[in-house]
Amino acid sequence: MKNITDSFLSLSYWPSAGSFGFDTDILATNLINLSVVLGVLIFFGKGVLSDLLDNRKQRILKTIRNSEELREGAIEQLEKARAHLRKVETEADRFRVNGYSEIEREKLNLINSISTTLEQFENYKNETIQFEQQKAIHQVQQRVLQQALLGALGTLNSCLNNELHLRTIGANIGMFGAMKEKKN
């Protein structure tokens, strides 16, 4: 570093104004060239750079404003969605409660209906049993009567002889004759 500073300060190293030549000290000439280029860039590029930075700043601010508007819109939509969710949950709870009540009512109606049907079946069963009992009793009575008649006929046939038979016929004719006379 000391050599660079010494080369700047040393006048013997600089060519005279009247002559033209090349400086072979690359480090010294590059620093001068760099400072001149930077000075020109800063002087002329300051406006362009300032405009670019202002445009960039405006775009960033616009993006931030748009983001804020979108955020506010999203918050508003979120609040609407939450309100709708609360409404739907309330409605669902109401439906759930009404549904349970309706289920209980339907259950009771079904139990009552089944109970009534069972009572009707029980009544039909009892009526059928009574009918079958009456039918069986009637059949038994007819059989007993038939057997009794057969037994009576058998007894009559075995006990009747011709003389008894003729007397019975005569008595019956006499009864019919007396009934006839009463009518006249």
Side-chain angles (χ1 to χ4, degrees):
M1 281 302 254
K2 188 175 184 182
N3 291 339
I4 294 172
T5 324
D6 289 340
S7 66
F8 278 115
L9 297 176
S10 148
L11 292 176
S12 65
Y13 198 73
W14 291 92
S16 64
S19 70
F20 180 76
F22 290 106
D23 188 5
T24 57
D25 188 7
I26 295 174
L27 291 177
T29 55
N30 276 344
L31 281 177
I32 294 170
N33 290 338
L34 258 169
S35 60
V36 169
V37 169
L38 282 177
V40 169
L41 281 176
I42 290 173
F43 181 75
F44 290 112
K46 182 179 179 184
V48 173
L49 187 59
S50 176
D51 288 342
L52 287 174
L53 288 175
D54 284 341
N55 287 340
R56 178 72 178 152
K57 180 181 175 182
Q58 292 302 321
R59 281 190 303 201
I60 289 171
L61 289 174
K62 185 178 177 183
T63 304
I64 290 172
R65 270 186 258 124
N66 288 342
S67 297
E68 285 296 320
E69 290 173 4
L70 289 174
R71 182 179 155 271
E72 289 171 5
I75 288 172
E76 185 178 314
Q77 287 180 347
L78 178 63
E79 288 303 317
K80 285 181 183 177
R82 284 181 179 162
H84 184 67
L85 177 64
R86 284 189 295 272
K87 181 181 174 186
V88 167
E89 285 175 343
T90 305
E91 190 100 359
D93 288 340
R94 186 174 57 83
F95 282 138
R96 193 175 305 120
V97 168
N98 289 343
Y100 288 141
S101 321
E102 185 67 26
I103 288 171
E104 286 299 317
R105 266 183 272 150
E106 288 295 324
K107 182 174 127 183
L108 289 174
N109 289 342
L110 185 61
I111 289 171
N112 291 337
S113 173
I114 290 173
S115 175
T116 304
T117 305
L118 285 175
E119 286 177 18
Q120 288 174 347
F121 283 148
E122 187 69 25
N123 290 339
Y124 292 149
K125 179 188 83 168
N126 291 337
E127 288 175 6
T128 304
I129 289 172
Q130 283 181 341
F131 176 74
E132 291 297 324
Q133 284 176 344
Q134 293 285 336
K135 186 176 171 183
I137 289 171
H138 182 67
Q139 286 176 349
V140 168
Q141 285 176 345
Q142 283 200 346
R143 279 234 160 140
V144 167
L145 183 62
Q146 196 175 29
Q147 290 295 328
L149 284 176
L150 285 176
L153 277 175
T155 304
L156 280 176
N157 283 335
S158 66
C159 292
L160 279 182
N161 55 20
N162 277 339
E163 181 186 329
L164 186 58
H165 190 64
L166 288 174
R167 268 194 304 176
T168 306
I169 291 175
N172 284 336
I173 290 175
M175 281 187 348
F176 283 127
M179 284 174 47
K180 197 175 184 186
E181 287 179 14
K182 272 188 177 178
K183 278 188 179 182
N184 290 334

